[in-house]
Amino acid sequence: MGSLEKQGLQNQFEGDWTIINPDKTMTGRVVTAQYMPLRPDLDKMIKDQVRKKTGTTGGTNSWPIDILVNGDVYVADAYGKVADGTLIGDNLGNSIYAKSQRGVIFYGSVRDQEGLEEIKGFNGWIKGEDPSYIQQMMLTSINAPIRVGRATVLPGDVVLAKKFGVIFIPSYLVEDLVLSSEFTELRDEFGHQRLREKKYLAGQIDSQWTDEIKKDFLNWLNNYPGKLPMSKEELDNYLKERNYNGFLHLCYFVMRFVPFVVEES
């Protein structure tokens, strides 16, 4: 969330979910749907227009499913309704997974959770489970901006759903955010290792790093025992584009290129 907040995006997270398979993570491209309490005249108008134009049949809660493709995550605002607010059961759950190879994020509820748990690969972040059928609700939009708890969600966003919550990421920020997160993980890995080794005090790692720690970090990166999550070129560009402390970038450049120049000369 820190990287998003730096971009002025402070309303992208929602927590406190019931998760169908809590040990599994889900990512994908967002398809949105909005539901509201039933107003019969508006509901009839929407159904008549859509069915006349498309020939669509079945309940309106199946309409968003019809447009899903591989990689999509069906995200719905059902205003937190649980009893009589169940958007899907295991039949529609099977259809969702067949089309998207993903699952759902519902600010609302489902039924047949036991059946949904049996769909291999399917997952869901929901606000509750109930044996009732959907009643006194209507579908008002597909692929329009919606609210999911604290978050404002746009169709085409990329969602990262984990055990402790759901983050909606604008698609144009995904590449940058992934690289930033990978770099942060490297910093954290270095910091945790040095704390276990008792090389630095907790306050030194958890605050602005001194030049000594920065040089130690760069040396640690240069001798990283495994495979870095990004290429050396990506890491160098990341530091350069963000002017990630001129000293740090200079040290990184020197450590990479000066030994080569000296050896060649």
Side-chain angles (χ1 to χ4, degrees), residues 12-22 26 74-78 80 104-109 113 123-129 146-151 153 159-168:
Q12 306 306 122
F13 175 83
E14 171 64 13
D16 191 24
W17 298 94
T18 295
I19 307 173
I20 292 175
N21 291 299
M26 183 171 68
Y74 175 16
V75 181
D77 172 16
V104 301
I105 298 171
F106 288 166
Y107 200 77
S109 62
Q113 185 172 339
N123 209 350
W125 278 250
I126 59 178
K127 290 298 178 177
E129 192 272 347
I146 62 172
R147 173 185 172 181
V148 175
R150 296 159 51 189
V153 185
V159 62
L160 171 61
K162 304 180 75 173
K163 180 182 291 186
F164 301 108
V166 172
I167 298 176
F168 299 96

Side-chain angles (χ1 to χ4, degrees), residues 112-170:
D112 301 329
Q113 185 172 339
E114 186 175 353
L116 292 170
E117 290 175 353
E118 294 175 357
I119 304 173
K120 187 175 181 180
F122 180 89
N123 209 350
W125 278 250
I126 59 178
K127 290 298 178 177
E129 192 272 347
D130 199 80
S132 60
Y133 288 81
I134 185 171
Q135 296 184 65
Q136 291 297 308
M137 296 177 69
M138 62 180 181
L139 176 69
T140 55
S141 72
I142 298 175
N143 270 344
I146 62 172
R147 173 185 172 181
V148 175
R150 296 159 51 189
T152 298
V153 185
L154 272 60
D157 280 351
V158 174
V159 62
L160 171 61
K162 304 180 75 173
K163 180 182 291 186
F164 301 108
V166 172
I167 298 176
F168 299 96
I169 306 165

